Amino acid sequence: MYIYDEYDHSILRQRIAQFRDQTARFLAGDLKPEQFLPLRLQNGLYVQRLAPMLRINVPYGMVNSAQLRKLAHIARHYDKGYCHVSTRQNIQYNWPDLTEVPDILAELAEVGMHGTQSSGNCIRNTTSDQFAGVAPDEMIDPRPYCEIIRQWSTFHPEFAFLPRKFKIAVTGSTQDRAAVQVHDIGLQLVHNDQGEVGFKVYVGGGLGRTPVIGVAIREFLPEEDLLSYLEAILRVYNLFGRRDNKYKARIKILVRALTPEVFAQKVEDEWQHLKDGYSKLTQEEITRAKGFFTAPAYEQLDNAAAQAALDAQAADSVAFGKWLQRNVREHKIAGYASVTLSLKPTGVAPGDITDSQLEVIADLADQFSFGEARTTHEQNIVLADVKKADLFALWQACKTAGFATPNIGTITDIICCPGGDFCSLANAKSIPIAEAIQRQFEDLDYVYDLGDIDLNISGCMNACGHHHVGHIGILGVDKSGKEFYQVQLGGNASNDASLGDVLGPSFGADDMPAVIQKIVDVYVANRTDEELFIDTYRRIGAAPFKEKVYAKAN
Amino acid sequence: MQKLIKDGQIQADTWTLLAKAEGEAAAVEVPAGQVIIPVAVWHAQKDALQQRTDIGVWLDSDEAADLIGADANRFPVLAVNFPLFMDGRAFSTARLLRERYGFTGELRAVGNFIRDQLCYLRRCGVNAFAFADPETNLEDAVKSLSDLQEYYQAAVDQPLPLFRRRA
C-alpha cells in the first residue's frame, strides 16, 4: 500500500498546525462559528446530535495493521471504545471532544492518516473496489490511480470551496464493486483497441434528494490525462454549478440542466487548455504509484490440494462451510482467498467496531494477510490475501472476536446509516430497523436460499445508507413528528445501475420486519431457479409486491 | 487610508473600489484617481476610459474571467470579489486570469473572504488581499499566508506538481 514519504508527512504536519490554530481561535472567540464551520468540516469534524463526529479518511479503503492499532487507540483514549465504518470506506468517531481533535489528528498523522476533506464542499475521499489488486475479474488495479487522485485533490487550492461536496470512485474490474455510476465522477479503468490504459468517465451520478445515474461523457481518457481532465470537470462545476440552493448544487443538477452533451463539450473545451500542461501525468509517476501496489510475497501454492483440504474441513463443520460460502471469495493467485469480516452481527449497529476488535483485525492482518486490510463501502472489513490453508484458523479467530457472521451479500448484510440515534440530519432511526430485519431473518439456511439481496437503509433523504440503490431500499421519513419508513424496490449499485421505485405509502417501524418478509415471500413465490431478487423484480415488476404488501387483512 | 496585504506586506491601499450601481453601467460616473470599476462599467465606457492608466476592473463571483480576457494586461490591477467567503468561484477566476490570460499585474481579492483562505488564494494567483471586514487583524492574517508550504498539485505559484519535483 501507499506509504507516506517526507513530503506527505510535512504537508500533513503543516495542516495539523493550521487546524490547531484555527481551533484555538474558534475557542477564543476570534473565529466566528460560521467561519470555523467549513474549516472544521475540511478536517473531518462535524457537530452532531449528541457530540462532535470526526471522520477519518481511509483512502480507497486501504489500511495497514499499524493504522488499525492507532484507530483502536483513538477509540479507547478519545472516544467510547468503538468507531464506525462508513459507506465511503471511512472511519467515524462519534464522541470526540472538540478540544482534543487537533491531538487526535496529530496522533493519526504518525501513521499517515487524517480527516482532510472527509467533509465539506470539497473533493472527498476517493473510494474504490475493496478487492482491488486481488479480484479474479480485475483488468487493471485502480489503487495507483486512486492514490494519484488523492494527492491531486488534497488541499487543491482551486476546489476547496465548491458548490457542494464532491465524490470520486474508481474501479478496474468487470464487476463494478465501487458503485461508480452513483458518484459525482465515476472512473472505470479500461483498455482501448491498442491495449492502452485509460478511463471511461461517468459524471453526475449521485444519491440524496435527487438520485441520478451518472452518464458517460468520455469513452476513453488516456491515463496520462487523468488529472488535467478531472481539473477541467471540476473547474466547469466550480464556475457553473448552482450556488443559490444547496439542494440543487451538486454536479448532477448542472449536468442535467446543461444536458450531458453540452456539459461534456464545456469540459472538452476547458481541457484543451489544460491537457498538455504540467498536470499531465508522466509514465515515471504512474510507475512510481504502481510501485506501492505490487503483489506481496505470495507463496507458490497447490490450489487443488488447498481446496480439497478446505472441502474436508467444510464437510466436518457446517458453520465453517457457511462462512466459506458467504464470506470467502476467489483470489487471482492460486491457493489464496479474500475474506470479508462481517461487521453485521445482529444487535450491533452495522459497521460498528470496537477498539479491541480493531486490534484483533490488526493481529489477523499481520498473521494472515501481509499486514493489510480494507474497509468496504458495504461497511465491512476485508483481509484480501489469505492462504486457503489458513482459512480455518482465521475463521476460528473471527468467531471469537465476533465478526464471523456468515452473512456477506445476504439480506442481513445491511448497509445502514447512523440515523436518528446519532445524526442530526436524520428524520428517523435506522439502526433499530436494521436490527429488527436481521431478527426477522435469523434462519441462515433460509437466508442463503434467498441468495444475494442488497438491503440498504437511510434515515433521511440524504441517502447515506444508499437506499436508492438497494435491491430493497428503506428510507426513514418524518410525518408530523412521527417516524415512518418508505420502501423502494429494484435499485442496484453495480454495472447495470438503477434506482429503486417507491412501492407505496410508508409504514411504521413495527411493521417493517413483516413488510420485508412479505416482499421476500413474493420473490420466493415468483422466482425461477437461480434467479436473484433483483432479476425477479425486474421481470415481474412492482405490482405483485404492492398487492401483497398493501393487501387488506381478511 | 485603508490597508491591504500585498506581496506579503501590509501596505496602504491607494485604490478605490467603485461599487456596482443601480441602473445603466454607461451612466455610472467614474471618478478621477486610481479606481477599480465593475467590469460592466468597463465594457460600457471602454471608449472613454481606455486612455486612463489608473483604472482597474473587478469581477463579481458570477462574472467570468473571459469578460476581461485578452484585455487583462492593459490594467495595473484586477480584483475578484467574494460576496460570501464560501463562494469559491473566484479561485477559478483568479487562475484563469493568470494562466489563461497571462495577467501579470496586481490581482487582489476583495470582499468577504477570510484569513484562512489566503494560502489557497495565493496559490491561485492572488497577490493582494483587501478585506471588507475592517476588524481584520492584518498582522495575524499575513501569518496565514505561510500555513501550507508544500503542495501536491500544480497551481499558479508552483506550476510543477509535486510528482514532477519529487526526488
Side-chain angles (χ1 to χ4, degrees), chain A residues 57-79:
Chain A
N57 283 323
V58 183
Y60 40 95
M62 292 291 292
V63 62
N64 63 30
S65 54
Q67 293 173 328
L68 287 164
R69 290 190 183 98
K70 183 60 84 176
L71 291 168
H73 166 81
I74 305 283
R76 187 173 296 137
H77 288 272
Y78 296 97
D79 210 281

Side-chain angles (χ1 to χ4, degrees), chain A residues 156-230:
Chain A
H156 198 299
E158 190 180 340
F159 305 128
F161 296 90
L162 294 170
R164 282 282 274 143
K165 59 186 169 181
F166 202 91
K167 299 174 179 179
I168 302 174
V170 191
T171 182
S173 290
T174 45
Q175 173 83 24
D176 172 16
R177 285 175 291 267
V180 299
Q181 291 179 66
V182 289
H183 280 77
D184 294 297
I185 295 177
L187 298 169
Q188 163 80 58
L189 275 154
V190 288
H191 289 112
N192 68 4
D193 294 342
Q194 286 77 50
E196 295 158 334
V197 171
F199 301 89
K200 181 171 182 177
V201 182
Y202 293 92
V203 70
L207 303 177
R209 192 172 291 244
T210 313
V212 181
I213 301 294
V215 291
I217 59 166
R218 209 167 213 283
E219 290 298 319
F220 186 82
L221 177 75
E223 60 178 345
E224 295 89 350
D225 298 319
L226 174 63
L227 298 185
S228 57
Y229 196 78
L230 291 179

Side-chain angles (χ1 to χ4, degrees), chain A residues 16 36 96 138 146 162 167 190 197 225 367 471 497 529:
Chain A
I16 291 162
F36 186 51
E138 184 169 278
C146 291
L162 294 170
K167 299 174 179 179
V190 288
V197 171
D225 298 319
Q367 191 179 349
H471 302 157
D529 288 349

Side-chain angles (χ1 to χ4, degrees), chain A residues 344-416:
Chain A
K344 317 283 182 71
T346 302
V348 171
D352 272 12
I353 185 163
T354 68
D355 52 349
S356 49
Q357 282 183 319
L358 284 164
E359 285 167 346
V360 170
I361 294 173
D363 293 343
L364 294 175
D366 281 340
Q367 191 179 349
F368 296 116
S369 197
F370 301 101
E372 292 179 356
R374 293 108 181 271
T375 52
T376 82
H377 91 263
E378 291 92 357
Q379 304 173 290
N380 293 306
I381 288 189
V382 162
L383 296 179
D385 297 295
V386 182
K387 278 192 273 188
K388 285 185 174 177
D390 289 338
L391 285 172
F392 193 79
L394 174 58
W395 172 65
Q396 288 179 309
C398 287
K399 268 205 307 181
T400 310
F403 30 66
T405 313
N407 62 346
I408 300 305
T410 70
I411 195 167
T412 64
D413 182 12
I414 296 170
I415 291 179
C416 180

Side-chain angles (χ1 to χ4, degrees), chain B residues 117-139:
Chain B
Q117 294 174 306
L118 258 53
C119 242
Y120 288 161
L121 280 165
R122 191 199 57 207
R123 296 218 64 210
C124 289
V126 176
N127 69 322
F129 306 91
F131 291 87
D133 181 357
E135 301 290 302
T136 307
N137 182 324
L138 296 185
E139 283 78 18

Side-chain angles (χ1 to χ4, degrees), chain A residues 28 49 61 136 145 189 212 265 270 276 281 292 322 328 335 340 359 393 396 453 464 485 500 505 530-531:
Chain A
R49 174 156 287 178
Y145 303 96
L189 275 154
V212 181
Q265 190 56 51
E270 188 64 34
D276 297 318
L281 284 168
F292 290 100
K322 284 177 175 169
V328 178
T340 303
E359 285 167 346
Q396 288 179 309
I453 297 180
C464 294
Y485 297 87
E530 306 292 317
E531 192 176 41

Side-chain angles (χ1 to χ4, degrees), chain A residues 471-529:
Chain A
H471 302 157
I472 300 172
I474 297 173
L475 167 64
V477 290
D478 175 279
K479 284 202 270 184
S480 27
K482 286 200 174 134
E483 297 183 2
F484 286 87
Y485 297 87
Q486 186 189 78
V487 173
Q488 306 186 358
L489 297 180
N492 187 32
S494 191
N495 296 45
D496 47 352
S498 57
L499 302 170
D501 312 311
V502 176
L503 190 63
S506 56
F507 307 94
D510 294 345
D511 298 328
M512 286 311 292
V515 166
I516 302 303
Q517 183 65 58
K518 285 177 189 167
I519 288 167
V520 166
D521 289 345
V522 173
Y523 158 58
V524 170
N526 286 275
R527 69 179 168 186
T528 60
D529 288 349

